[in-house]
């Protein structure tokens, strides 16, 4: 597990924010290992990973100092020490489709998830019975049209102290106010092989374009729709006579599988984001895409620039 402390700052963009916060850390002997910042629509977000093992104050004192400075600067400051993440909690966001939520619950019930599902949050009430079956709190934050109250959503994510947010076929776009607070901690599954067919009705787009191979993608969420770093993908063949329902029948089990694998990789800190791409941590020949058996079915020659004897046709 990553032993660095994570500090996230979100608020209105203004001059001097970074200097004030980094100075506070320097004065308390907190070493900044990594700093990432972004601004979208006037909203500022900074995420720092710091080494606080030799800081000159207690954890409580650092939290209090950052909270006081955040109040002065009118920004929201979140501090997550390594000990805060020993037992990780997941908030699952849903709409009406159950297959991804069912896969997460089954893995959790079988002790195969690696974290607790702390809360299920929907923009409709349809999946409340499924959450209640597993004894998990369910909150509906949508109006009659399914439009999400993001202030209520943020309050719930804070209340349940979510380490990871999983969009289990959550059919709404999250605004920067949510995404910036949980950078690289929101995982979505999309029913296409991104970057192909982003946005709504991905299976329909694939069918209309006549693709022969379709698929699904689990990725980190950014403020750019369906353009976040890809974690896992799965593919399936599209029969000549396939309709939308057939694509869903083939794709939905793979959606659940790809999402579950992405969640496990994240929780195990086996995947990291670097320059907009995901990278595996550690050594080995693990493959984020198709099953390794697929490689054995692919031809390995001819290759450009390799001159050899003709293939024996006998």
């Amino acid at each position: 597990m990553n032993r660095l402390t994570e500090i996230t700052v979100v608020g209105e963009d203004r001059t001097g924010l970074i200097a004030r916060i980094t100075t506070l850390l320097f004065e308390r002997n907190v070493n900044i290992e990594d700093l990432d910042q972004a601004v979208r629509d006037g909203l500022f977000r900074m995420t720092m990973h710091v080494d606080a093992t030799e800081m000159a104050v207690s954890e409580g004192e650092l939290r209090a100092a950052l909270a006081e400075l955040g109040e002065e600067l009118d920004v929201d400051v979140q501090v997550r020490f390594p000990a805060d993440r020993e037992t990780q909690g997941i908030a699952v966001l849903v709409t009406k489709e159950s297959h991804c939520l069912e896969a997460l619950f089954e893995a959790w019930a079988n002790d195969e998830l690696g974290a607790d599902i702390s809360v299920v949050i929907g923009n409709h009430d349809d999946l409340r019975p499924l959450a209640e079956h597993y004894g998990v709190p369910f909150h509906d934050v949508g109006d009659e049209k399914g439009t999400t109250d993001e202030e209520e959503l943020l309050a719930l994510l804070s209340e349940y102290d979510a380490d990871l947010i999983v969009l289990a076929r959550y059919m709404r776009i999250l605004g920067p106010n949510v995404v910036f607070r949980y950078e690289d901690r929101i995982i979505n599954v999309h029913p296409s092989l991104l970057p192909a067919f982003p946005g709504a009705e991905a299976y329909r787009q694939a069918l209309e374009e006549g693709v022969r191979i379709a698929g699904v993608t689990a990725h980190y969420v950014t403020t750019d729709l369906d353009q976040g770093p890809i974690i896992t993908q799965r593919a399936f063949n599209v029969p000549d006579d396939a309709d939308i329902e057939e694509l869903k029948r083939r794709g939905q089990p793979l959606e659940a599988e790809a999402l579950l694998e992405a969640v496990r990789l994240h929780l195990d800190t086996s995947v990291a984001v670097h320059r907009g791409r995901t990278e595996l941590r550690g050594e080995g020949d693990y493959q984020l895409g198709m099953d390794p058996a697929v490689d054995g079915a692919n031809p390995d020659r001819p290759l450009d620039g390799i001159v050899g004897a003709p293939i024996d046709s006998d």
Side-chain angles (χ1 to χ4, degrees):
M1 177 171 290
N2 191 341
R3 306 312 298 177
L4 295 176
T5 295
E6 182 181 273
I7 300 173
T8 304
V9 181
V10 179
E12 184 180 344
D13 185 29
R14 61 183 65 193
T15 303
L17 265 178
I18 297 176
R20 293 289 302 277
I21 293 169
T22 55
T23 298
L24 183 152
L25 297 175
F26 173 76
E27 291 173 345
R28 288 156 179 80
N29 200 31
V30 176
N31 186 48
I32 298 173
E33 299 286 343
D34 177 70
L35 186 153
D36 181 61
Q37 60 172 313
V39 178
R40 175 62 64 91
D41 298 332
L43 187 67
F44 169 84
R45 188 269 306 158
M46 177 172 65
T47 300
M48 293 177 288
H49 292 95
V50 306
D51 185 352
T53 55
E54 298 183 6
M55 65 181 175
V57 295
S58 68
E59 292 185 2
E61 288 170 334
L62 181 62
R63 286 186 197 273
L66 285 168
E68 183 179 346
L69 180 58
E71 203 169 307
E72 178 186 338
L73 298 174
D74 195 25
V75 295
D76 178 44
V77 182
Q78 296 180 358
V79 184
R80 300 171 71 239
F81 288 98
D84 299 337
R85 307 195 293 274
E86 293 295 344
T87 301
Q88 299 187 77
I90 298 173
V92 185
L93 274 56
V94 298
T95 296
K96 295 183 177 183
E97 296 181 14
S98 66
H99 55 287
C100 288
L101 181 59
E102 288 179 7
L104 291 165
F105 272 141
E106 288 176 7
W108 179 48
N110 293 325
D111 293 325
E112 297 173 350
L113 188 58
D116 288 331
I117 298 178
S118 304
V119 63
V120 177
I121 304 172
N123 63 327
H124 289 282
D125 212 29
D126 298 55
L127 299 185
R128 182 186 295 275
L130 182 57
E132 291 178 344
H133 174 75
Y134 283 92
V136 175
F138 182 95
H139 296 269
D140 182 0
V141 297
D143 61 17
E144 63 279 358
K145 295 182 179 179
T147 303
T148 299
D149 182 336
E150 288 204 341
E151 290 302 318
E152 185 178 357
L153 173 60
L154 282 171
L156 287 168
L157 294 175
S158 177
E159 176 186 344
Y160 287 94
D161 195 20
D163 293 287
L164 176 65
I165 302 169
V166 178
L167 309 188
R169 300 299 288 133
Y170 178 67
M171 311 299 287
R172 282 292 184 272
I173 298 172
L174 293 175
N177 206 25
V178 177
V179 174
F180 272 6
R181 282 172 165 80
Y182 295 91
E183 192 81 0
D184 296 336
R185 288 197 282 142
I186 308 175
I187 296 178
N188 179 51
V189 65
H190 184 74
S192 80
L193 290 173
L194 292 174
F197 313 130
E201 301 288 345
Y203 286 139
R204 183 177 299 279
Q205 292 182 62
L207 201 63
E208 290 174 350
E209 292 297 328
V211 301
R212 294 303 183 183
I213 298 175
V216 305
T217 302
H219 65 98
Y220 285 111
V221 173
T222 65
T223 52
D224 297 312
L225 179 62
D226 294 332
Q227 295 182 43
I230 291 169
I231 308 173
T232 57
Q233 293 185 302
R234 296 290 188 274
F236 60 90
N237 287 317
V238 180
D240 285 344
D241 58 352
D243 57 13
I244 297 296
E245 293 307 312
E246 176 62 15
L247 263 62
K248 288 183 178 180
R249 187 189 69 77
R250 291 175 176 241
Q252 285 182 350
L254 296 179
E255 291 173 26
E257 180 181 287
L259 180 62
L260 187 56
E261 181 185 18
V263 168
R264 286 170 172 156
L265 288 167
H266 175 92
L267 293 171
D268 291 340
T269 65
S270 296
V271 66
V273 178
H274 180 66
R275 296 183 178 178
R277 290 171 54 94
T278 55
E279 297 179 351
L280 283 171
R281 288 192 172 110
E283 300 179 354
D285 56 0
Y286 183 81
Q287 173 63 42
L288 289 174
M290 298 288 288
D291 188 288
V294 175
D295 291 337
N298 291 332
D300 59 6
R301 71 175 309 280
L303 295 176
D304 202 28
I306 297 178
V307 179
I311 298 175
D312 189 351
S313 59
D314 294 334

